[in-house]
Amino acid sequence: MEYVKSTAKVVEGLKNFEGIDEKMEKLKRKFQHLKSREEDVKEELKYAEELSLKKPRKVVENWLTNVGNIKNSIEQIEEQVRERRWFSYMPLEMEMGKLTEQVTELIQQGGFPEGLTLQAHGNQPIELITTKLIGQMFHQHKAVIWKYLVRNNVSKLGVWGMGGVGKTTLLTHIHNELNAHQQFSVSWVTVSQNFSIHKLQNDIAKTIGLQIENNDDERKRAAKLAQRLRNMKNFVLILDDLWQDFQLERVGIPSGRSGCKLILTSRSLNVCRSINCEEYIKVEPLSENEAWELFTEKLGHGRALSPAIEPIAKSLTKKCSGLPLAIISVAGSMREVDDISEWSDALEKLKESVADHDDEMGIEVFKVLKYSYDQLKDPKLQQCFIYCSLFPEDFEVGREMLIEYFINERFIDGLRSRQAELNRGHTILNKLENVCLLEGGVSIYGGRKYVKMHDLVRSMAIQIGKENFQYSVETEEQLTEILREEKWAKDLTKLSLMKKDISNIPSSASPKFPRLTTLVLNDCGVLYIIPDCFFSRMPTLSVLNLSGTKIGNLPTSICELVNLTALWLEGCSRLAYVPCLENLKALRRLNLRWTRIREVPQGMEMLLNLRYLNLEETLIEMIPDGILPKLSCLQYLGIENEIGRAGSSPPRKVRGEEIVKLRKLETFKGYLYDMDDFNKYVRWRENNRGGPNNYQLLVGPSSEFYRLSAFEGCTRSVCLQRCKISKSKNGEDSDSLPVLPTDVQLLCIQDCNDASSLCDIASLKNATQLSNCYIERCQGMEHVVCCCSCNLPLIQSLVSLILIELWELRALNEREICCASASASASSSSSILLQTPMFSSLQRLRIIGCPKIKRLFMPILLPNLKNLVHLTVQLCEEMVEITGESSDEDEDDVNQEAVSTSCIISASLPKLSILHFHDLPELKRFCSKEIVFDSLKEICISRCPKLSFNGVQHVETDYSKHIYSVVNSRIVERIR
C-alpha cells in the first residue's frame, strides 16, 4: 500500500514538473514586456536630459534598479529549470509564482503618471536679475533679436557697443523671455577675461549638463559638445562680453540650420565679423530724455526733486552722456540725498577724471571702460587712442586732420609712402571705432568725416595719459591765462591747452619743461602774443601746434627748438612773420595754411628733412627759383591760393620742371606758369608714369576758382581758367591746347569761351577716369556734348555735373535741338539715345544761370537717368519744363500738347530724392506726362510762379521757399 502511494506521488510530481516549462515561458513573456518598457524609459530619459537639462526622478531610478534585480532572479531560476531537478519542483513553482507577481507589479509601476524626470540640480531655468529697459531703441533691438531667433536663416547674431552701454541688460531680457517661452531652451555663458578654448568648452558643457573629461583632446571634447548641442532642438547659446574671436568648430559650437542659435555680445565689431555673424546690432547710448528717465527711476520711484536740485541732477545725468552704467551708478549714489551742497559736489566730481573718484561709481565705470583700452594690446594703437584725449570735450576732429597729427607725433612712421601712412591712420581709427573707443560721424556741412570721444571714455583716457604717459590736459573750462608752472609736473611729455581763452602770457614767461615733446595751444582764439623767451626751456619739444591763434609773430625762441619735427600754424590769420628756420633741421612737417605771410620763410631751403609743406591760401607772391628742388624729401606740397579771399594776391606759380625733380612727391596742389608748362609737366608724368598720385593742377591768371568741396573724394583735378581749349579750324594752334592727364577725376573750366561743347577738347577722349565736371562762364558753350554718338568716356562715366552762367547753353546734347525739326529726325535721335548709355552714371546735376535753355532733357533720355539723385535748376529764365520735346512754337501750350507722343515713353527716375527749383519764372511743369518718383524725399521751390508739379499747383506766399515732402510718390506741401 505504501508502495502504491509513493508511486502515485512520483507520477503526480512528474506531471507537475512538465507544467513548469509552460510557467517559465509565461514568466519570460511577461518579463519581455517589462524589458521593453525599461528600454523605452531609458531612451526617454536620455532624450529628456539632452533636450531640457533634466534628471530622472528617484522613483524612476529605483524602478530601474528593481528591474535589473528581477532580471538576475529570472536568469537564475531559468538555469534551475534547465537542470531538471524534479525533486525541487515545488520551491521552483513557488519562486516562479512570486517572480510573476513582481514582474506584473513592475509593469504597472512603469507607467509613471507624474513623469520620468525632474529639473537637473543647478540647471533650473533661472530668471536673471536685470533692470528695466529704457528707450525706444532698446525695445526695437529686442524686437529685432526675436525676429532673428524665429527665422531659420539667421544662426549667429552679434550685439556690440561700448562698455556699459547696456548690451548685457538687453540680452538678460532676451534670456529671461526665452526661459519663459516653451519653444526655446537657453544657456548663458559669461566669457571670462582669461579666455581659452578649454575653459569655454567647460563653461558651455556645465550649462547643458554634459560631462567632458579634462584630459581629453580638445578635438574630442569639441566633438562631444557639438553632438550634444545638435540634439538640443531650438537651443540658444548666449556668449556675453566676448573680446577675442575664435573658430566655433574648435570649441564645438555647431551653427547653421543643423546647429544651435548663437547670440554674442562684444565691444568689438571686428569680433562679430570674425565669428561670421550674419547680423549685427549696435547698442547706442541713451538720448538725453531717456537718460533722465533712467536716472529718475534709479533714484527712487515717485520721488520729486526740489526745484533747486533738479537742474543739478539733470546736469549730472547729462555728464553721463547716455551711458546706462554711469547713470545707474550716479543715481544709486545720490539716492536719499537732499543736501544741495552734496549734489553740487557730485557734479563737480563728474567734471574730474572718472578714475579720481574713490566711490563705487568711479571705480566700476573706470574698470569697465579701461578694459576696452587694455584689450587693444598694440602700444601704438593705445598711444593713438590716448592722444585723442588732448582734444576738448565733444570735439569733432576730422579724420584726415587727426591722421596728420598722428604722423606729426611719429605714431605712424617708417612706412614707404605718405599714402601708406594715411592708409595706416584710417585703419587705426577704424579699429578704435570698431571697439567703441571712438565715435564716428559725418558733418552736415560738407560731409566731412570725423571722430569724437564719449565724455566718460575721454575722462578715462585723460587719466591713463596722466598716469602712464605723463600727459596733461587742461580741463578747466574758463582758463584765461597760463597758470603758474607749478601747476604741471616737470616730467610732462604732452600738454594740451586747446580751445582755451588764454589771452595773457606774462612777458617773462619761460616755463621749464625738460621732457615736453608736444605742446598744443591751437584754437586759443584770443591769444595774441607769445613772449620771445617762451620756448627757451623746452629742449625736447618736437610737436608745436599754434593753429587758430591770433599771434602776429612767432617768438624768436622757436629757432632754439632744434628737435622740432612738426610746426602747425594753420589758421593763424594775423601771422605775418616767421623767423629764420635754418636751425630747425629736424623739421619734417610745416603747415602755414591760412596765414598772412608774404614771403617764404628764410632758411627754408635748409630743411632737407621736410616731408610736408603747406603754403596754401597765404599771401606769398612768389617762391624763389631753386628752393623747391632742394626739398627732395617732400611728399606733400600745397601752394595754391585761397579762393575768393578779399585782398588775396595773384596766384603764386611754379614751374613743372621743379615739381618733376621732387621724386617722392605724392600730393601737389598749385598753379603752373602757363599752358606750355602745364602740358610739359603732364606729358612728363604720362611718359614716365610718375609724379603725384593726388594733384590739383591749375592754369590761369587769377585765384577765383570755384571751391571744390562739392566734389568730395576727388583727389585728381585740373582747373583751366581763361585758356584756349578748342583748336581752330586750320589746327595750327593744337600744340597750345591742354593735354589732360588720363587719370584726372575732376575737370573745372572757367571763362574759356572758344568751345561750343566738351567734344571740342581733343584730349578729353583719353580721360577715362573723368567723373566730375564743373563749367562756369564759358560763353561759347551751347551744349555739354555735341551728339549722342560722340566717343567721350565721360558720356557714360560722369557722376557730377555743375553748369553755371553759360549764357548760350541751349541743351545738354546738341541732338536734342536738332531732333525737333521733323518727327523722323526725332525718331532717329530717340533710337540713338536708347542705344547710347548717355549720362547713365549721373548722380548730381546743377544748372544755374543759363537763361536760354528751355528744356533740360528729352523724354527719351529719362531711362538713362536711373542713377540721378540730386537735381538743382536755378535762374534759368526761359526754362519751360524739365523734360519734354522741343518744338518751333515752344510757348504755345496747345502745340506742345500736340507734339507726337512717339518720342514720349512712360518712365521713372528711381533714385531721384532731392529737387531744387529756384527763380524759374516760366517753369510750368516737370514733364507733360506723369513720371514716377519712387525715392523722392524733398522738393525745394522758390519764385516759380507758374509751376504745377504732378497736379499740385505751386502758389507763391510771403515765404521765400516752399518745401514739398513726398509720401508714396504723392506731393504734400510744407512751408518753411
Side-chain angles (χ1 to χ4, degrees), residues 335-572:
R335 192 175 294 126
E336 305 299 332
V337 175
D338 296 316
D339 188 343
I340 191 172
S341 298
E342 199 168 337
W343 279 92
S344 298
D345 183 60
L347 179 59
E348 193 64 31
K349 280 183 177 180
L350 266 186
K351 294 178 181 179
E352 303 168 358
S353 174
V354 175
D356 287 339
H357 300 179
D358 55 5
D359 56 15
E360 182 180 348
M361 180 265 173
I363 295 172
E364 180 66 17
V365 174
F366 181 78
K367 181 175 68 173
V368 169
L369 296 178
K370 187 174 183 295
Y371 184 56
S372 299
Y373 166 80
D374 292 337
Q375 290 299 310
L376 292 177
K377 301 186 184 301
D378 182 354
K380 282 291 178 74
L381 200 58
Q382 290 177 329
Q383 280 186 312
C384 290
F385 165 70
I386 297 301
Y387 187 85
C388 296
S389 69
L390 299 181
F391 294 90
E393 187 175 309
D394 294 324
F395 189 79
E396 297 175 355
V397 55
R399 287 176 66 103
E400 288 75 14
M401 181 172 71
L402 184 54
I403 293 170
E404 296 291 356
Y405 290 162
F406 289 166
I407 298 173
N408 286 348
E409 295 288 347
R410 310 287 287 271
F411 296 154
I412 303 173
D413 194 26
L415 300 179
R416 56 182 175 79
S417 67
R418 170 178 165 80
Q419 188 59 51
E421 292 174 338
L422 295 175
N423 294 341
R424 179 67 55 82
H426 283 292
T427 299
I428 288 172
L429 294 182
N430 289 341
K431 287 182 178 179
L432 293 175
E433 280 189 53
N434 288 341
V435 297
C436 298
L437 287 173
L438 291 181
E439 302 172 14
V442 179
S443 171
I444 60 174
Y445 302 106
R448 178 183 66 107
K449 292 184 178 181
Y450 66 81
V451 295
K452 69 174 184 176
M453 270 186 163
H454 186 280
D455 290 352
L456 295 180
V457 173
R458 177 175 179 266
S459 180
M460 178 265 294
I462 289 174
Q463 184 65 25
I464 296 174
K466 178 181 178 181
E467 293 178 353
N468 297 359
F469 300 99
Q470 289 73 52
Y471 285 18
S472 179
V473 180
E474 183 53 58
T475 57
E476 184 179 340
E477 294 181 3
Q478 299 299 322
L479 183 68
T480 58
E481 61 180 16
I482 296 291
L483 304 178
R484 300 183 309 275
E485 65 180 71
E486 289 81 12
K487 177 173 176 70
W488 298 295
K490 293 294 188 294
D491 60 350
L492 280 185
T493 61
K494 299 189 191 302
L495 174 60
S496 175
L497 301 171
M498 190 184 302
K499 291 186 79 69
K500 301 302 177 186
D501 292 333
I502 299 171
S503 59
N504 179 25
I505 300 181
S507 59
S508 60
S510 179
K512 184 177 181 180
F513 291 125
R515 297 185 58 197
L516 192 68
T517 61
T518 299
L519 178 60
V520 180
L521 280 167
N522 61 298
D523 294 315
C524 295
V526 294
L527 180 58
Y528 285 84
I529 298 175
I530 299 177
D532 279 342
C533 60
F534 188 76
F535 299 110
S536 59
R537 296 198 294 173
M538 303 179 188
T540 60
L541 194 65
S542 62
V543 177
L544 176 59
N545 194 335
L546 300 174
S547 299
T549 61
K550 291 295 192 296
I551 57 174
N553 296 285
L554 281 179
T556 55
S557 55
I558 283 279
C559 302
E560 301 174 27
L561 301 176
V562 295
N563 291 306
L564 198 67
T565 60
L567 178 57
W568 228 249
L569 301 168
E570 181 173 352
C572 294

Side-chain angles (χ1 to χ4, degrees), residues 53 123 187 204-210 225 228-229 232 235:
L53 309 178
N123 287 318
S187 286
I204 297 173
K206 184 177 179 181
T207 67
I208 62 175
L210 175 67
L225 197 56
R228 172 65 66 89
L229 291 176
M232 299 178 70
F235 178 69

Side-chain angles (χ1 to χ4, degrees), residues 167-266:
K167 304 182 298 296
T168 299
T169 299
L170 174 63
L171 265 296
T172 54
H173 281 265
I174 294 293
H175 172 274
N176 292 343
E177 293 196 19
L178 284 170
N179 257 339
H181 203 283
Q182 295 182 354
Q183 181 181 354
F184 295 98
S185 57
V186 58
S187 286
W188 180 290
V189 175
T190 299
V191 183
S192 60
Q193 296 183 13
N194 55 335
F195 170 84
S196 71
I197 297 292
H198 192 276
K199 187 175 188 309
L200 184 56
Q201 287 175 328
N202 283 342
D203 290 343
I204 297 173
K206 184 177 179 181
T207 67
I208 62 175
L210 175 67
Q211 296 294 327
I212 53 177
E213 298 297 329
N214 284 328
N215 295 330
D216 276 353
D217 178 82
E218 179 185 285
R219 289 175 294 181
K220 290 182 179 179
R221 289 159 54 89
K224 291 179 181 179
L225 197 56
Q227 183 179 7
R228 172 65 66 89
L229 291 176
R230 285 193 187 96
N231 291 331
M232 299 178 70
K233 308 300 181 185
N234 294 330
F235 178 69
V236 180
L237 176 62
I238 298 175
L239 299 181
D240 185 40
D241 202 17
L242 196 62
W243 259 100
Q244 185 174 335
D245 63 298
F246 59 89
Q247 293 181 348
L248 297 179
E249 295 77 12
R250 283 190 62 191
V251 175
I253 302 175
S255 61
R257 294 188 177 182
S258 62
C260 64
K261 288 185 180 289
L262 173 67
I263 308 176
L264 62 90
T265 75
S266 178

